[in-house]
Amino acid sequence: MTDAAELERRTAELLAALPPATTDRLDFLKARFDAGLAWVHYPEGLGGLGAPRSLQAVVDAELEAAGAPDNDPRRIGIGLGMAAPTILRYGTEEQKERFLRPLWVGEEVWCQLFSEPGAGSDLAALGTRAVREGDDWVVNGQKVWTSSAHIARWAILIARTDPDVPKHQGITYFICDMTDPGVEVRPLRQITGEAEFNEVFLTDVRIPDSRRLGEVGDGWRVAQTTLNNERVAIGGMRLPREGGMIGPVSKTWRERPELRTHDLHQRLLKLWVEAEVARLTGERLRQQLVAGQPGPEGSGMKLAFARLNQEISGLEVELLGEEGLLYDDWTMRRPELVDFTGREAGYRYLRSKGNSIEGGTSEVLLNIVAERVLGLPAEPRTDKDVAWKDLAR
Ligand SMILES: Cc1cc2nc3c(=O)[nH]c(=O)nc-3n(C[C@H](O)[C@H](O)[C@H](O)COP(=O)(O)OP(=O)(O)OC[C@H]3O[C@@H](n4cnc5c(N)ncnc54)[C@H](O)[C@@H]3O)c2cc1C
């Protein structure tokens, strides 16, 4: 088993062979991946060393201190947080070899083609069809709210391969080439003025069977790996104290005493403590991850993240008074990442509205926590045994 001392030794070796100051960024990242120091808990040959996940911090700290470049994790969040764990768990050896390295170094951006106009919370109702033709699948349908589709090279896609069985059973999981001529990406402008996500139209897109992930008809089970990891990726990011939404408002509070009132002080204190508790709970969740796949705890974490972000950004706008009503930029940007701290208070306030929708709405996550954590009775599900083609739409 690789221990901390071994990781320190390998990191020092990498830094000596490729000093960050004089090495091309991408060359350094590729060498880091090949040395097994990308995600140390991944298997050897796939960017890791089969080491305990908790030891990643040892490598990260050494590399940061040496001024080494990182892989810009927020830009490639869907790849790192959702596609990679799914490929690792269900992919063939060829798929792992082909996709994980360019994904981790950031050469290839990924997006997630799951939601449809008629299938969001009830994702299993999706209607995008994949029909087998020889060695290929031919895909037709429409996806929506696809973050980063405009910069993505690959997508994780779920589609219906059998309409004659109940909705959860007839779904298959694929890797879709976003450069296929049948893929059309159209921007969707959101409340912030940006178009961070898209509609994606799929017309006769041909996907070779070799880009199927998991068995035919088993896509719902494969998708659970993606969705559980998505909630952890959204709600469970590792942050320093005051690293999240609470940071900018605390800074304004310290630097602008003229804005303070007793009422705002009490509310800020309460939210500061809650943000810190959520941050530390995230640490605990990460320790649990060391022991296996994320479970419903990720849903609880994501719930807290959404509520806190909305309350904190609301308080920040209130604290700033008239200034809080100004908006820094209404142009339709096509951002490559969501940058909460790089923009003004108004942006944080508007963008955090989406936090209780993306990655599963707060209402749906409450249902998951109620059923799977608290053991409360499940919602009635009358369509479980009905063939998808017979469902009312
Ligand atoms: C910023 C952002 C980024 C996104 N990025 C992506 C992406 O990259 N890829 C992707 O595939 N999707 C993405 N989504 C889509 C997101 O996953 C869906 O919006 C979400 O799952 C909700 O689906 P819906 O919008 O169809 O709403 P609906 O499912 O139609 O829900 C409407 C309302 O009904 C409530 N509701 C529904 N079912 C229940 C229930 N059983 N119990 C109680 N209340 C219920 C919901 O909570 C909600 O308030 C993104 C969304 C946002 C906001």
Side-chain angles (χ1 to χ4, degrees):
M1 174 70 83
T2 313
D3 60 11
E6 169 68 5
L7 288 175
E8 275 170 11
R9 191 188 63 73
R10 282 175 178 257
T11 310
E13 236 173 60
L14 173 72
L15 288 167
L18 296 169
T22 52
T23 307
D24 173 72
R25 176 178 174 274
L26 207 52
D27 288 344
F28 185 88
L29 292 173
K30 286 178 180 169
R32 177 176 166 185
F33 187 94
D34 295 338
L37 300 171
W39 31 32
V40 295
H41 59 294
Y42 270 50
E44 252 177 87
L46 295 174
L49 293 165
R53 193 178 180 137
S54 54
L55 292 183
Q56 185 67 48
V58 174
V59 175
D60 292 350
E62 298 278 321
L63 290 177
E64 200 186 323
D70 70 13
N71 58 350
D72 205 353
R74 287 180 310 156
R75 178 173 169 270
I76 54 173
I78 293 175
L80 290 176
M82 294 171 236
T86 315
I87 293 171
L88 184 68
R89 184 144 185 210
Y90 290 99
T92 60
E93 288 313 308
E94 292 74 35
Q95 288 169 339
K96 292 177 199 170
E97 285 283 331
R98 163 63 187 84
F99 293 113
L100 291 176
R101 190 173 185 257
L103 179 160
W104 189 87
V105 301
E107 274 181 309
E108 293 180 344
V109 175
W110 286 67
C111 68
Q112 178 195 20
L113 293 172
F114 278 25
S115 304
E116 298 183 4
S121 301
D122 187 11
L123 184 59
L126 61 90
T128 292
R129 285 280 279 130
V131 177
R132 184 82 191 237
E133 261 187 40
D135 285 341
D136 291 344
W137 294 85
V138 180
V139 181
N140 282 284
Q142 187 200 336
K143 297 288 178 176
V144 74
W145 318 127
T146 318
S147 309
S148 305
H150 52 291
I151 53 165
R153 170 70 176 81
W154 298 104
I156 40 176
L157 162 75
I158 46 177
R160 186 152 309 278
T161 43
D162 186 352
D164 297 323
V165 294
K167 61 182 179 180
H168 292 94
Q169 292 169 28
I171 294 172
T172 302
Y173 200 120
F174 299 98
I175 294 171
C176 175
D177 182 349
M178 293 297 286
T179 65
D180 186 288
V183 177
E184 189 195 343
V185 177
R186 295 187 198 161
L188 275 177
R189 197 169 189 202
Q190 61 213 60
I191 192 173
T192 54
E194 299 182 321
E196 168 201 314
F197 47 31
N198 306 270
E199 303 181 282
V200 178
F201 295 84
L202 305 164
T203 310
D204 292 333
V205 176
R206 295 193 87 85
I207 301 184
D209 190 52
S210 58
R211 277 202 250 114
R212 171 168 48 81
L213 265 185
E215 297 302 316
V216 175
D218 203 26
W220 187 251
R221 193 158 63 102
V222 183
Q224 294 316 302
T225 297
T226 311
L227 297 175
N228 284 335
N229 278 287
E230 175 173 23
R231 282 156 206 161
V232 176
I234 295 178
M237 271 168 295
R238 168 169 278 125
L239 292 170
R241 181 173 283 177
E242 290 194 9
M245 203 69 108
I246 198 70
V249 67
S250 301
K251 185 165 179 278
T252 305
W253 182 268
R254 289 189 190 103
E255 291 174 357
R256 306 272 306 270
E258 75 281 8
L259 298 173
R260 298 176 190 167
T261 68
H262 177 70
D263 169 56
L264 288 173
H265 183 230
Q266 296 309 104
R267 284 163 56 200
L268 178 61
L269 277 183
K270 183 171 167 288
L271 286 171
W272 194 96
V273 171
E274 286 185 49
E276 184 60 5
V277 169
R279 187 181 77 85
L280 295 173
T281 308
E283 278 302 321
R284 206 171 54 192
L285 181 65
R286 266 184 294 280
Q287 286 167 10
Q288 272 174 5
L289 283 180
V290 173
Q293 292 288 328
E297 296 84 357
S299 300
M301 204 52 226
K302 203 247 149 185
L303 256 176
F305 163 85
R307 181 183 64 79
L308 277 171
N309 272 3
Q310 290 172 359
E311 285 187 24
I312 294 167
S313 60
L315 182 81
E316 187 184 9
V317 167
E318 222 180 308
L319 172 67
L320 286 166
E322 286 172 11
E323 267 177 67
L325 297 176
L326 296 174
Y327 199 70
D328 57 348
D329 185 0
W330 281 116
T331 49
M332 191 179 96
R333 302 189 197 189
R334 295 286 269 152
E336 293 204 352
L337 51 88
V338 178
D339 185 7
F340 273 128
T341 47
R343 299 267 310 259
E344 296 298 319
Y347 172 80
R348 283 188 279 282
Y349 179 72
L350 293 179
R351 179 58 184 81
S352 64
K353 298 294 170 204
N355 290 158
S356 51
I357 305 172
E358 60 195 313
T361 69
S362 291
E363 291 77 13
V364 167
L365 297 184
L366 280 172
N367 284 345
I368 293 175
V369 171
E371 289 175 29
R372 297 199 216 145
V373 180
L374 303 176
L376 294 174
E379 275 197 319
R381 293 189 177 99
T382 50
D383 57 1
K384 243 176 64 190
D385 301 317
V386 182
W388 176 82
K389 66 176 176 12
D390 298 327
L391 293 176
R393 263 185 286 283

